Amino acid sequence: MIVNMAALLMQTGKMDGALDLLNREIAESPKYARAWSNRAVIRYKRGETASAAADVDVALHLDPSNTQAQNLVRLLGASAPSASPQ
């Protein structure tokens, strides 16, 4: 229920409130992949790509079929700077 409330807050642009709820939920239920992937989305939207990537890794470790996390991996890959060919 907490993660659903956080998702609603995210949809209305209240990222700080959503992040607070997700941090609490992750502390209490660290094996809940959806909480990790939602927090990763918030961090990605804030430009915190390293933190977003770390959260996505945990989410996919807990639930490899989490489509939100899979989509975010693609976004993170697209936003990574390209290595120059040598």
Side-chain angles (χ1 to χ4, degrees), residues 6 9-10 14-26 35 38-40 42-43 46 48 55:
L9 290 172
M10 290 168 66
K14 296 180 172 100
M15 297 299 179
D16 290 338
L19 188 59
D20 289 343
L21 289 176
L22 292 169
N23 285 337
R24 209 170 342 158
E25 183 65 19
I26 288 168
N38 282 1
R39 188 171 77 173
I42 291 172
R43 289 178 163 176
R46 289 181 166 195
E48 301 168 7
D55 283 356

Side-chain angles (χ1 to χ4, degrees), residues 1-10 18 21-22 25-26 29 32-39 68:
M1 190 184 300
I2 295 295
V3 175
N4 288 337
M5 175 61 94
L8 287 172
L9 290 172
M10 290 168 66
L21 289 176
L22 292 169
E25 183 65 19
I26 288 168
S29 301
Y32 190 26
R34 189 166 165 238
W36 288 95
S37 64
N38 282 1
R39 188 171 77 173
Q68 180 182 44

Side-chain angles (χ1 to χ4, degrees), residues 31-65:
K31 295 187 181 201
Y32 190 26
R34 189 166 165 238
W36 288 95
S37 64
N38 282 1
R39 188 171 77 173
V41 168
I42 291 172
R43 289 178 163 176
Y44 174 77
K45 288 182 176 185
R46 289 181 166 195
E48 301 168 7
T49 55
S51 296
D55 283 356
V56 161
D57 286 345
V58 174
L60 288 174
H61 174 75
L62 295 170
D63 178 10
S65 66

